[in-house]
Amino acid sequence: MGPPQLGRTFLGFDLSTQKLKAILLNSSLKVVASAEVKFDSDLPEFRTSGGASPGPNKHEFFVQPVMWVKAMDIVLDRLVMQEADLSTVAAISGSGQQHGSLYWSKHGIAALQNLDPEKFLHAQIDDSAFVVNRTPIWMDASTTKQCLEMETAIGGHMQMVQLTGSKCYERFTGPQIRKIYQQRTHAYEDAQRISLVSSFLASLFLGNVAPIDFSDGSGMNLLDIREKSWSKACLNACAPDLDERLGQAVSANTVLGDVSEYFAKRFCFPESCKVVACTGDNPSALAGMLVDNDWLSVSLGTSDTLMMSFEKPPIWEEGHVLCHPTQTDEFMGLLCFRNGSLVREAMNNVEAGGNWGKFNELLESTPRGNFGNMAVHFNDMEIIPKAKGTLRWNKDCLPNSPDASKGVIKFRSPQIEIRALIEGQMLHHRAVAEDMGFQFGTNTKVLATGGASINKSILQVIADVFNAPVHIQTESEAALMGAAYRASYALYLHECDETVPLSYRDYILSLTSNNLQLVCEPHKDSEAIYAPMLDRYRDMAGILQSGIL
């Protein structure tokens, strides 16, 4: 096999909510150049806040697709200004924010296929290229009606889960397409093709509308994740003649074709440069983490997110099961918890005056297990379970006692409050992951990412509660790295003449290290302490949930 020829480079893009970033990797998959465009500050004419604009109605958020086109003009120019040698690029791929959709006009497709290298992209792919100029993105949650209609049409939400890996979510693309079909019928009828943000990225470089990949397609409530094809029942429940607008879905490892003449002439890309299918930001992040099936990835952000791999798809009434971005026959699980860093920050403000150093001192000054004191803090309505409120128990509280739903009003010290919060959050994450089918064992390892992954005191609690060593990634921006890694791997598969090619992870690690650093290991008595607390935690969460039902 051998590594790619020396001198070849791989270009990855991440079109996230707030910016478009590009990264160029050499044949050893080391970063040689990068550039970015921040939508709010670099493209102020689009008047976005956090990369999006609110719609006229509640829960509506949109983006003008031309903003993304213009951002591509700028980011490529910035790479050139850095003297990045784009004539060495052997393959391109990308990551795109999940659940956004774009609606191509007949004129737009013709413009895409006949780009003039003497002109900017945005001068040719302008508003007229799309039949919907203000297109919904993942932040838009205005499709409750459409979700109910789609689930009812196919026989209920569990049938939707069975087929597509998720029940109907307002932010998912299928309900968004249905809303456009219902409210802007002429625009839908005029749409020749529909792209996701990821496949739109690939389309720009391909010079034609690119297919949607299986992984990002799994976030639409339209793809049968087992058959790897559009579900006719879901398509029929969404909008008429939708299959011809979506095109056939493909594996994320697919080489779609050569880069268009526009990029060869304007930016000196080689004519042989391959365009690889792009995927969603969550699958791309998993690709960038280079972890195997024993790993659990925990992102500690505004929401806390857990990602894991499965050989067979579990049936999750809550959470999401997507097609795996690199192992075509496998699946990835995605669990999102609403009460993450904002709850931690609120506790820090109240108990430690906003000082994280003091917060950590207080956390570490209390023994593991917290003297039997436990807390569940669902400041906002939690997703799994659907529950809201705060419940504190001391060691004397019993699940069946009359006061179980009241608990104690306040613990006696800031130390106990802080440890009860952090242990409670991590017990919550572990309980849900176990209930959803993730097997914790002696080989389990945790990769922590996101803002709070710099906090070693919190990571130690994760190591103890999960009874697993915790690592961090020294190379940030996993979704962006995943895009460039996948470009390299897809080209390897495309050129490979081996009977049994290397797996994605083995191939990437044959060229570069995985940039993982061990930060914390569990104490030897962790399982003895936290296993009983898991059952107790489930009782507490169940009581809060029953108060909502």
Side-chain angles (χ1 to χ4, degrees):
M1 180 271 302
Q5 296 169 11
L6 292 176
R8 296 210 289 188
T9 60
F10 304 95
L11 187 58
F13 291 90
D14 182 25
L15 205 174
S16 64
T17 311
Q18 299 186 38
K19 64 185 179 182
L20 171 64
K21 187 163 184 178
I23 195 165
L24 188 65
L25 305 185
N26 64 16
S27 58
S28 300
L29 303 185
K30 301 298 182 189
V31 179
V32 292
S34 65
E36 67 180 28
V37 176
K38 295 180 178 177
F39 302 137
D40 292 359
S41 54
D42 288 326
L43 294 166
E45 64 269 32
F46 293 97
R47 299 182 178 182
T48 57
S49 175
S53 302
N57 301 310
K58 189 177 181 182
H59 303 308
E60 287 183 339
F61 289 89
F62 69 88
V63 162
Q64 293 172 255
V66 177
M67 180 180 77
W68 294 332
V69 179
K70 198 168 186 180
M72 183 59 75
D73 279 320
I74 298 171
V75 84
L76 287 170
D77 279 341
R78 288 180 176 174
L79 282 174
V80 171
M81 292 291 286
Q82 287 187 39
E83 299 184 354
D85 186 359
L86 300 181
S87 70
T88 63
V89 179
I92 301 169
S93 192
S95 158
Q97 54 178 282
Q98 291 199 263
H99 317 309
S101 49
L102 300 94
Y103 303 79
W104 292 96
S105 67
K106 186 175 182 180
H107 168 77
I109 295 174
L112 186 62
Q113 294 169 339
N114 297 281
L115 293 170
D116 182 348
E118 297 298 318
K119 299 177 181 176
F120 285 114
L121 272 177
H122 72 270
Q124 302 174 78
I125 303 175
D126 55 16
D127 281 341
S128 66
F130 309 98
V131 297
V132 178
N133 294 131
R134 304 197 311 173
T135 194
I137 63 166
W138 69 269
M139 297 167 65
D140 191 298
S142 62
T143 60
T144 304
K145 170 179 173 286
Q146 288 77 20
C147 287
L148 181 61
E149 290 170 347
M150 286 181 64
E151 288 185 342
T152 301
I154 70 161
H157 75 273
M158 284 309 298
Q159 180 65 11
M160 184 66 76
V161 170
Q162 175 72 33
L163 283 169
T164 72
S166 303
K167 67 181 184 181
C168 251
Y169 279 88
E170 284 88 352
R171 302 172 194 273
F172 274 33
T173 327
Q176 295 287 350
I177 292 171
R178 181 164 178 78
K179 180 183 172 185
I180 285 174
Y181 162 66
Q182 290 177 334
Q183 297 185 0
R184 305 185 62 181
T185 306
H186 289 303
Y188 176 81
E189 289 174 347
D190 288 343
Q192 302 296 299
R193 291 290 299 273
I194 296 174
S195 291
L196 298 182
V197 178
S198 59
S199 63
F200 161 75
L201 254 181
S203 301
L204 291 180
F205 287 98
L206 194 62
N208 212 337
V209 179
I212 293 167
D213 84 290
F214 298 147
S215 296
D216 207 2
S218 310
M220 300 176 73
N221 287 133
L222 296 175
L223 188 83
D224 184 326
I225 61 172
R226 290 165 181 79
E227 298 297 326
K228 306 285 195 296
S229 61
W230 304 117
S231 161
K232 286 186 168 53
C234 294
L235 294 181
N236 292 339
C238 182
D241 303 316
L242 185 51
D243 52 347
E244 59 193 48
R245 289 172 170 82
L246 295 176
Q248 189 172 353
V250 299
S251 162
N253 294 331
T254 304
V255 170
L256 303 176
D258 295 337
V259 73
S260 76
E261 185 181 347
Y262 174 87
F263 291 94
K265 289 189 173 178
R266 187 173 179 86
F267 293 102
C268 298
F269 282 90
E271 293 180 359
S272 61
C273 174
K274 305 301 180 189
V275 180
V276 174
C278 299
T279 193
D281 50 3
N282 286 306
S284 193
L286 186 63
M289 291 172 186
L290 301 178
V291 294
D292 59 25
N293 289 12
D294 292 328
W295 287 73
L296 183 72
S297 300
V298 181
S299 176
L300 302 168
T302 304
S303 298
D304 286 352
T305 304
L306 269 59
M307 284 192 283
M308 61 211 79
S309 298
F310 294 104
E311 291 185 3
K312 295 182 179 179
I315 305 296
W316 286 359
E317 189 170 353
E318 305 292 346
H320 313 293
V321 180
L322 309 176
C323 296
H324 200 284
T326 59
Q327 303 301 113
T328 307
D329 296 329
E330 295 186 7
F331 300 85
M332 66 175 283
L334 190 65
L335 299 172
C336 191
F337 303 98
R338 188 164 285 140
N339 293 278
S341 67
L342 297 182
V343 180
R344 292 186 285 269
E345 288 168 11
M347 179 68 75
N348 182 27
N349 290 334
V350 170
E351 302 294 350
N355 184 322
W356 283 106
K358 183 178 180 183
F359 180 97
N360 292 344
E361 285 179 18
L362 293 169
L363 175 60
E364 292 174 7
S365 69
T366 312
R368 286 165 290 117
N370 206 16
F371 308 109
N373 297 298
M374 296 178 61
V376 182
H377 290 271
F378 294 157
N379 294 5
D380 293 315
M381 181 68 73
E382 190 47 83
I383 300 168
I384 314 171
K386 187 174 183 181
K388 185 176 181 180
T390 299
L391 182 61
R392 296 175 175 87
W393 280 5
N394 61 26
K395 62 181 175 56
D396 299 320
C397 289
L398 299 173
N400 298 322
S401 69
D403 295 328
S405 61
K406 297 178 182 177
V408 297
I409 296 172
K410 183 84 174 169
F411 292 129
R412 64 178 183 268
S413 72
Q415 294 95 314
I416 292 175
E417 283 286 357
I418 287 171
R419 181 160 280 276
L421 166 68
I422 302 302
E423 286 186 343
Q425 285 188 322
M426 300 315 151
L427 285 164
H428 175 211
H429 299 352
R430 176 169 176 175
V432 172
E434 279 188 353
D435 294 346
M436 294 294 188
F438 185 82
Q439 302 291 323
F440 285 86
T442 54
N443 295 324
T444 300
K445 301 179 185 68
V446 174
L447 174 60
T449 65
S453 64
I454 62 171
N455 189 318
K456 189 173 178 180
S457 302
I458 292 176
L459 298 188
Q460 185 61 58
V461 176
I462 296 176
D464 289 327
V465 172
F466 287 34
N467 194 32
V470 174
H471 299 69
I472 58 172
Q473 203 162 27
T474 54
E475 180 69 62
S476 60
E477 299 184 290
L480 181 62
M481 294 299 292
Y485 286 164
R486 287 192 316 96
S488 179
Y489 183 62
L491 184 62
Y492 157 71
L493 290 180
H494 183 71
E495 297 176 341
C496 185
D497 56 5
E498 296 173 38
T499 307
V500 182
L502 291 174
S503 70
Y504 169 82
R505 186 169 182 268
D506 288 346
Y507 169 78
I508 299 299
L509 292 180
S510 74
L511 300 171
T512 187
S513 63
N514 61 4
N515 300 311
L516 296 181
Q517 176 186 337
L518 176 65
V519 182
C520 302
E521 295 203 61
H523 291 86
K524 291 183 179 179
D525 59 352
S526 291
E527 192 69 2
I529 292 172
Y530 290 107
M533 292 174 70
L534 273 171
D535 293 332
R536 194 167 166 81
Y537 171 82
R538 288 184 174 96
D539 289 331
M540 295 175 73
I543 287 171
L544 280 181
Q545 185 177 22
S546 64
I548 298 294
L549 298 177

